[in-house]
Amino acid sequence: MAATFHGVGATVAALSSSSSSSSSSSPSNSFGSKILLSSPSRSFSVRKRASFTMVRSEGSMNFDLNFKGRRAQQLIANAVATKADSSPASSSSKPGHELLLFEALREGLEEEMERDPRVCVMGEDVGHYGGSYKVTKGLATKFGDLRVLDTPIAENSFTGMGIGAAMTGLRPVVEGMNMGFLLLAFNQISNNCGMLHYTSGGQFTIPIVIRGPGGVGRQLGAEHSQRLESYFQSIPGIQMVACSTPYNAKGLMKAAIRSENPVILFEHVLLYNLKERIPDEDYICNLEEAEMVRPGEHVTILTYSRMRYHVMQAAKTLVNKGYDPEVIDIRSLKPFDLYTIGNSVKKTHRVLIVEECMRTGGIGASLIAAITENFNDYLDAPIMCLSSQDVPTPYAGTLEEWTVVQPAQIVAAVEQLCQ
Amino acid sequence: MAFYSKNPRNIINNLKSKVGLWSLMKQSHGTCSYSSCLNTIHLHRFLPLTTLPQFTNPDSISHKKGHFPHFQRFQSTTTEKQIDSVPNGEQSQVLDFPGGKVVFSPEMRFLSESPSVYSQCYRVLDDNGQLISHSNFVPVSEEVAVKMYSNMVTLQTLDTIFYEAQRQGRISFYVISIGEEAINIASAAALTSDDIVFPQYREPGVLLWRGFTLQEFANQCFGNKADYGKGRQMPIHYGSNKLNYFTVASTIATQIPHAVGAAYSLKIDKKDACAVTYFGDGGTSEGDFHAAMNFVAVTESPVIFICRNNGWAISTPTSDQFRSDGIAVRGQAYGVQSIRVDGNDALAMYSAVHSARHMAVNEHRPILIEAVTYRVGHHSTSDDSTKYRPANEIEWWRMARDPVTRFRKWIEINGWWGSEAESQLRSSIRSQLLHAIQIAERAEKPPVNDLFTDVYDNIPSNLREQEKLLKETINRHTKDYPADVPI
């Protein structure tokens, strides 16, 4: 499932959507996304078809001449890509379209539902209400009540229902209104979703996608500010990914739906209104891949979801102070993309992990273990991990702010790490 | 709720004065025309929203094509009296709550916690295998009856021999279904092979009926290389995708929502099949049962719920499990038709499941069947039930209420069976079983590779690494590793 990356970095051709260069002025959420053709030795979890292109996204804040040079080598099987070919890095004709993250999720979902009649959605208020975060808006009218199912309030049971439907041939997308509610579905997710493919001897597959918003919002209270990725990460048999931009949100949604394994897609409550220009053509993002947000030399900062933006904000300050951080959005929470991470560690020798999970038993804790185990010899300093404290998220705004890692702390941590 | 009634007068809410506001009467037939509306009692919650103009939801109308109005209509035996007693024009007594009209009453009356009469149990054969007069049942041909009986005997023998094998230490664990053979076989016989089965763990008879061989049973119990589960599950956790029997999971009642999901899938694909799920009396206490029942009614999916009420959940008797009148009454609470059947009467079980299937598939409705029986054996080989129940009670149910003997008497009365056929069958099955066990015991175990496959569709790098580590460990300590397990 994880890619055996044989020299991918060198041989991969790059096509830039000209949007990336034109929108580089708006720093927060547009990163140059390149559509690449994969070499056959890469990840085999995504089936090879001529009709879609595999994407490895590499956001780059610094566009240099190499960028344009690499463009010339690009080979795309998909004819649609030729549209973007026409104007190299011109800002006048902007291919792609601009949308918000929740719309990107919806677009991905809608395209998959059109493409495969077995894809269906189930969750609370997803049908006529359109979803609590509008991700499924309009889908019920378009595809009918049977394919966009409003469920009663019983998370364990509708997750179980999704599992039964998946084993019988459908491809359900189960929405948890808030990830925290999926704690009620833990039994079905752990005991059945993760296990039944294994215990049945491979006879029954469960191509289910479980998605929903999690993370700390704006004063949503302790119960609605949970980071479930830390609780789920141990369950064998599932995959976990976290999206952070409209581009990877759509790509990951589509890849998750097409995957034969159960995938949990973590969205973040505060990222739904991010705007970005994404390509018109069909693309998916690899489920097991991390995203290079900003290449650098001095320190590797590993992060995901909302913390990516705090890190990028801190990066601006750090650049002004003369540091060159390499920022990687790990995106794949289970399994970790140790290839990308490892290459980065071998280059910079210093690692800072910035996460929203609690200190104990979070994604960061696992990541520290994985990196230390595999790349200990390459580290010049102990790994630093900035996480939330082991407290329930308070309601008061000021208190809540202090449970989440802030850019100032990130800057201070890098300075300390680089001494 | 998608039908549009132009004349609200057709929809009449009535009070059933005897038991208070919420009475549901047994439905006599699936649908009725509008003209007979006047004779029906509607519970307020079943009123379609579209009859109340201010609550019309246009979206809900468009997608429902060609189906009958999706709510139950009930016929009351005291209809006439009720309608007379509530004047039509009394709008001040009625209020439009979301979900329908409610008729008020100045009399405070609490609903009883149990019906005045315990729900009846459908039975066709008496204890001596004689047909009860005036019974209605689905007729069974000689061929089917003999096949049913042979399967029941096979199941009984299978259970006995495997139980002995566990006691001898040849397999690690076993669960017997003695006393519940009729439920197993008769229900399976009434289904088709397209119907998808979600079992708990005491229903191997369903697999047996569908063609799972004795060797395949043995392979799973011994966890050898030929096991379809590749040795990953405990004994009796059978599963076969080609026989539409989903792998048993040890968790209680988690399969019930799975069945609802599968039925939902069948509904989308418009298949002529239903989902069937089995569970015990204890399983009905789990949250999954209640939510699944609720879902299945709301989604109108074709599911047959078969509850084996065998009186015991390990050591917990049903009196400590719930206080409702068994399981069948719960159907009403969720809007699901239900029936209580004598689980040890193979003919009654067959008829009930046969009719339930017909209703489920043709009318897209769920059915709940409570099969009343007794768990003759221990909960499993890890249990000694004499610790919590009297041995003579167990013995009585084993001998006097044996479903296999009862059915045998019936087929003998019909001249379809005899003592010679009986002894031939039993000895043949026994020797086949012993042979199958021998082969299964000697067969190779699954290789260590199978520890890491099927966790995902393809083996990820971290698992490959762990596999490599394990193999290195094995190579380093070959003496500690069993010689008969391949790598």
Side-chain angles (χ1 to χ4, degrees), chain A residues 9-28:
Chain A
T11 57
V12 165
L15 165 75
S16 79
S17 44
S18 51
S19 60
S20 52
S21 46
S22 59
S23 52
S24 56
S25 51
S26 54
S28 53

Side-chain angles (χ1 to χ4, degrees), chain A residues 1-2 44 145-146 154 156-158 160-161 164-165 167-168 170 188 191-192 197-198 200-201 203-204 237-238 261 334, chain B residues 63 196 228 230 232 239-241 246-247 251 254 257-258 261-262 264 288 291 295 451 454 456-461:
Chain A
M1 178 190 73
F44 41 92
D145 275 1
L146 217 47
N156 202 34
S157 302
F158 65 70
M161 189 173 155
M167 290 199 286
T168 327
L170 288 185
Q188 288 286 354
N191 272 326
N192 292 332
H197 184 242
Y198 185 76
S200 69
Q203 292 184 85
F204 302 105
I238 57 162
N261 298 315
K334 184 181 169 87
Chain B
H63 67 277
I196 308 182
Y228 297 134
K230 298 181 189 163
R232 292 165 182 155
S240 165
N241 55 353
F246 276 70
T247 307
T251 46
T254 51
H258 292 178
Y264 171 68
D288 274 350
F295 271 62
L451 188 59
D454 295 324
Y456 298 97
D457 55 350
N458 298 304
I459 305 183
S461 60

Side-chain angles (χ1 to χ4, degrees), chain A residues 29-48:
Chain A
N29 47 4
S30 49
F31 303 93
S33 322
K34 300 169 201 158
I35 304 169
L36 314 168
L37 184 70
S38 63
S39 57
S41 58
R42 276 174 67 92
S43 163
F44 41 92
S45 68
V46 178
R47 280 158 286 177
K48 302 283 173 283

